[in-house]
Amino acid sequence: MTETQARDASPAADGAIERAMRRALALAAQGPVTGGNPQVGCVLLDADGRVVAEGWHHGAGTPHAEIDALAKLAAAQGTEGATAAVARGLTAVVTLEPCNHTGRTGPCSEALIAAGVARVVYAVSDPGETSSGGATRLREADVEVEGGVLAAEAEAFLRRWLTAVRRGRPWVTVKWASTLDGRAAAADGTSQWITGAAARQRVHEQRAASDAILVGTGTVLADDPSLTARGDAGELLAAQPLPVVVGATPVPADAVLRRHPRGLVETATRDLDAVLADLHERGVRRAYVEGGPTLASAIVAAGLADEYLIYLAPALLGGDRLALGDLGIRTIADARRLRITAVEQLGDDLLVTAEPAAPSGTSTTRTTRTTEES
């Protein structure tokens, strides 16, 4: 039986449960999008469908949503630290299947069992190899379990994290800025600034919402970038992406990148599949590619781009300094078709957000690719 079928068949899937799940999704959105862990929310209901406690995951190393909600319930009862089953007979409504492993924190499945929860309702199964299995453990302890409530909404909310975990590589966003005729630089190589201040600030916000930022060694040698996420006044934002330099050439000892607050990862390889697999092992779930035409073209050609952020400036340059290089496409029938999901005006510039028209990796031209150094 599928999660959706189980949800339709259960008398627990009433209005109170769905309202609680929507509240749990809203709570989850308060958690950080970076850090490797999913955004999760939890609402505890009594037998009458009333909310008695709620919680969400505040970031890596902090209590998970279920444990956060249980701790708040215990605090309200004045039973912090006690062994009593503070949630006896309650229903836990969670956006993601409770985890069943010990990482920086203990398994949520065991915490719910110990607290005496009678029913657990969740939206989406945990796809993690080590963290999944919470539903099975709960059933073994005679806890009623129901999955698939508002599954489509939860899938959409967690899409980037779920995609990364299911594929074993980060969600890859490719960004570039170009003129309307597709040029990323003038004939002499200058490119600062193609876009205006509003567009550039949006880029810094997107960096802060990413676990890692990828560039090629050619970009590092040519531009000596800092790759930090900064505010309007140039101050460092609280969240910083991990800088990753893709290529075999070492980063110079005096490069600005060597003073990045997150440190620096040098891949020492141009094998993109290996690079992304390694980043996934490091906990990177969102990778932001900002490394110039060489790296961007290699990722697009390999079918590894999940999302495109294309900044278009109302200017013309002509010449051959294109935002993308050769993708190995020889006929229009093989064009990589995109689906535009949003268009936004930022000052005089446009931000076009797009995704592959077909899921990444399904193209017949998908190959293991490497990036060539500039």
Coordinates of all heavy atoms in Angstrom, one line a residue, residues 102-141:
T102 N 21.4 7.4 15.0 CA 22.1 8.3 15.9 C 23.1 9.0 15.2 O 24.1 8.4 14.6 CB 22.7 7.5 17.1 OG1 21.6 6.8 17.8 CG2 23.4 8.5 18.0
G103 N 23.0 10.3 15.1 CA 24.0 11.1 14.5 C 24.5 12.1 15.6 O 25.0 11.6 16.6
R104 N 24.4 13.4 15.3 CA 24.7 14.3 16.4 C 23.7 14.3 17.5 O 23.9 14.8 18.6 CB 24.8 15.8 15.8 CG 25.9 15.9 14.8 CD 26.1 17.4 14.4 NE 26.9 17.6 13.3 CZ 27.3 18.8 12.8 NH1 26.7 19.9 13.3 NH2 28.1 18.9 11.7
T105 N 22.5 13.8 17.1 CA 21.4 13.7 18.1 C 20.9 12.2 18.0 O 21.2 11.5 17.1 CB 20.3 14.7 17.8 OG1 19.7 14.4 16.5 CG2 20.7 16.1 18.0
G106 N 20.0 11.8 19.0 CA 19.5 10.5 19.0 C 18.4 10.3 18.0 O 17.9 11.3 17.4
P107 N 17.9 9.1 17.8 CA 16.8 8.8 16.9 C 15.5 9.3 17.4 O 15.1 9.1 18.5 CB 16.8 7.2 16.8 CG 17.7 6.7 17.9 CD 18.5 7.9 18.4
C108 N 14.8 10.0 16.5 CA 13.5 10.6 16.8 C 12.5 9.5 17.1 O 11.6 9.7 17.9 CB 13.0 11.5 15.7 SG 14.1 13.0 15.6
S109 N 12.6 8.4 16.4 CA 11.6 7.3 16.6 C 11.7 6.8 18.0 O 10.6 6.6 18.6 CB 12.0 6.1 15.6 OG 13.3 5.7 15.8
E110 N 12.9 6.7 18.6 CA 13.0 6.2 20.0 C 12.5 7.3 20.9 O 11.8 6.9 22.0 CB 14.4 5.8 20.3 CG 15.0 4.7 19.5 CD 14.3 3.4 19.7 OE1 13.6 3.2 20.7 OE2 14.5 2.5 18.9
A111 N 12.7 8.5 20.6 CA 12.2 9.6 21.5 C 10.7 9.6 21.5 O 10.1 9.8 22.6 CB 12.8 10.9 21.0
L112 N 10.1 9.4 20.4 CA 8.6 9.4 20.3 C 8.0 8.2 21.1 O 7.0 8.3 21.8 CB 8.1 9.4 18.9 CG 8.4 10.7 18.1 CD1 8.2 10.4 16.6 CD2 7.5 11.8 18.6
I113 N 8.7 7.1 21.0 CA 8.2 5.8 21.7 C 8.4 6.1 23.2 O 7.4 5.8 23.9 CB 9.1 4.6 21.2 CG1 8.8 4.3 19.8 CG2 8.8 3.4 22.1 CD1 9.7 3.3 19.1
A114 N 9.5 6.6 23.6 CA 9.7 6.8 25.0 C 8.7 7.8 25.6 O 8.4 7.7 26.8 CB 11.2 7.3 25.3
A115 N 8.3 8.8 24.8 CA 7.4 9.8 25.2 C 6.0 9.3 25.3 O 5.1 10.0 25.8 CB 7.5 11.1 24.3
G116 N 5.7 8.2 24.8 CA 4.4 7.6 24.8 C 3.4 8.0 23.7 O 2.2 7.9 23.9
V117 N 4.0 8.6 22.7 CA 3.1 9.0 21.5 C 2.3 7.8 21.0 O 2.9 6.7 20.8 CB 3.9 9.6 20.4 CG1 3.2 9.8 19.1 CG2 4.5 11.0 20.9
A118 N 1.0 8.0 20.7 CA 0.2 6.9 20.3 C 0.1 6.8 18.8 O -0.1 5.7 18.2 CB -1.2 7.0 20.8
R119 N 0.2 7.9 18.1 CA 0.1 7.9 16.6 C 1.1 8.9 16.1 O 1.4 9.9 16.6 CB -1.3 8.3 16.2 CG -1.5 8.4 14.7 CD -2.8 9.0 14.3 NE -3.9 8.2 14.9 CZ -4.9 8.6 15.7 NH1 -4.9 9.9 16.1 NH2 -5.8 7.8 16.1
V120 N 1.7 8.5 14.9 CA 2.6 9.4 14.2 C 2.1 9.5 12.8 O 1.9 8.5 12.1 CB 4.1 8.9 14.2 CG1 5.0 9.7 13.3 CG2 4.6 8.9 15.6
V121 N 1.9 10.7 12.3 CA 1.5 11.0 10.9 C 2.6 11.8 10.3 O 3.0 12.8 10.8 CB 0.2 11.8 10.9 CG1 -0.2 12.1 9.5 CG2 -0.9 11.0 11.6
Y122 N 3.1 11.3 9.1 CA 4.1 12.1 8.4 C 3.7 12.2 7.0 O 2.9 11.6 6.4 CB 5.5 11.4 8.6 CG 5.6 10.0 8.0 CD1 6.0 9.9 6.6 CD2 5.3 8.9 8.7 CE1 6.2 8.7 6.1 CE2 5.5 7.6 8.1 CZ 5.9 7.5 6.8 OH 6.0 6.3 6.2
A123 N 4.4 13.2 6.3 CA 4.1 13.5 4.9 C 5.0 12.7 3.9 O 4.4 12.1 3.0 CB 4.3 15.0 4.6
V124 N 6.3 12.7 4.1 CA 7.2 12.1 3.1 C 8.1 11.1 3.8 O 8.6 11.4 4.9 CB 8.0 13.1 2.4 CG1 9.0 12.5 1.4 CG2 7.1 14.1 1.7
S125 N 8.4 10.0 3.2 CA 9.4 9.0 3.8 C 10.8 9.6 3.7 O 11.1 10.3 2.7 CB 9.3 7.7 3.0 OG 8.1 7.1 3.2
D126 N 11.6 9.3 4.7 CA 13.0 9.7 4.7 C 13.8 8.8 3.7 O 13.8 7.6 3.9 CB 13.6 9.5 6.1 CG 14.9 10.1 6.3 OD1 15.7 10.2 5.3 OD2 15.3 10.6 7.4
P127 N 14.4 9.4 2.7 CA 15.1 8.6 1.7 C 16.5 8.2 2.1 O 17.2 7.5 1.4 CB 15.1 9.5 0.5 CG 15.2 10.9 1.1 CD 14.4 10.8 2.3
G128 N 17.0 8.7 3.3 CA 18.4 8.4 3.7 C 18.6 7.0 4.0 O 17.8 6.3 4.6
E129 N 19.8 6.5 3.6 CA 20.1 5.1 3.8 C 20.3 4.8 5.3 O 19.9 3.7 5.8 CB 21.4 4.7 3.1 CG 21.3 4.7 1.6 CD 22.6 4.2 0.9 OE1 23.5 3.8 1.6 OE2 22.7 4.3 -0.3
T130 N 20.8 5.7 6.0 CA 21.1 5.4 7.5 C 20.0 6.0 8.4 O 19.7 5.5 9.5 CB 22.4 6.1 7.9 OG1 22.4 7.5 7.6 CG2 23.6 5.4 7.2
S131 N 19.3 7.0 7.9 CA 18.3 7.7 8.7 C 16.9 7.2 8.6 O 16.0 7.4 9.4 CB 18.3 9.2 8.5 OG 18.0 9.5 7.1
S132 N 16.6 6.4 7.5 CA 15.2 5.9 7.3 C 14.9 4.7 8.2 O 15.8 4.3 8.9 CB 15.1 5.5 5.8 OG 16.0 4.4 5.5
G133 N 13.7 4.3 8.1 CA 13.3 3.2 9.0 C 12.5 3.5 10.2 O 12.1 2.7 11.0
G134 N 12.3 4.8 10.4 CA 11.6 5.3 11.6 C 10.2 4.7 11.7 O 9.7 4.3 12.8
A135 N 9.5 4.7 10.6 CA 8.1 4.2 10.6 C 8.0 2.7 11.0 O 7.2 2.3 11.8 CB 7.5 4.4 9.2
T136 N 9.0 1.9 10.5 CA 9.0 0.5 10.8 C 9.3 0.4 12.3 O 8.6 -0.4 13.0 CB 10.1 -0.2 10.0 OG1 9.8 -0.1 8.6 CG2 10.2 -1.7 10.4
R137 N 10.2 1.1 12.9 CA 10.5 1.0 14.3 C 9.3 1.4 15.1 O 9.0 0.8 16.2 CB 11.7 1.9 14.6 CG 12.1 2.0 16.1 CD 12.6 0.6 16.6 NE 12.7 0.6 18.1 CZ 11.9 0.1 18.9 NH1 10.8 -0.6 18.4 NH2 12.1 0.1 20.2
L138 N 8.6 2.4 14.7 CA 7.5 2.9 15.5 C 6.4 1.8 15.5 O 5.7 1.5 16.5 CB 6.9 4.2 14.9 CG 7.8 5.4 15.1 CD1 7.4 6.6 14.2 CD2 7.6 5.9 16.6
R139 N 6.1 1.2 14.3 CA 5.1 0.1 14.3 C 5.5 -1.0 15.1 O 4.6 -1.7 15.8 CB 4.9 -0.3 12.8 CG 4.2 0.8 11.9 CD 3.9 0.2 10.6 NE 3.2 1.2 9.8 CZ 3.8 1.9 8.8 NH1 5.1 1.6 8.5 NH2 3.2 2.8 8.1
E140 N 6.8 -1.3 15.2 CA 7.3 -2.4 16.0 C 7.0 -2.2 17.5 O 6.8 -3.1 18.3 CB 8.8 -2.6 15.9 CG 9.2 -3.2 14.5 CD 10.7 -3.2 14.3 OE1 11.4 -2.6 15.1 OE2 11.1 -3.8 13.3
A141 N 6.9 -0.9 17.9 CA 6.6 -0.5 19.2 C 5.1 -0.3 19.4 O 4.7 0.3 20.4 CB 7.4 0.7 19.6

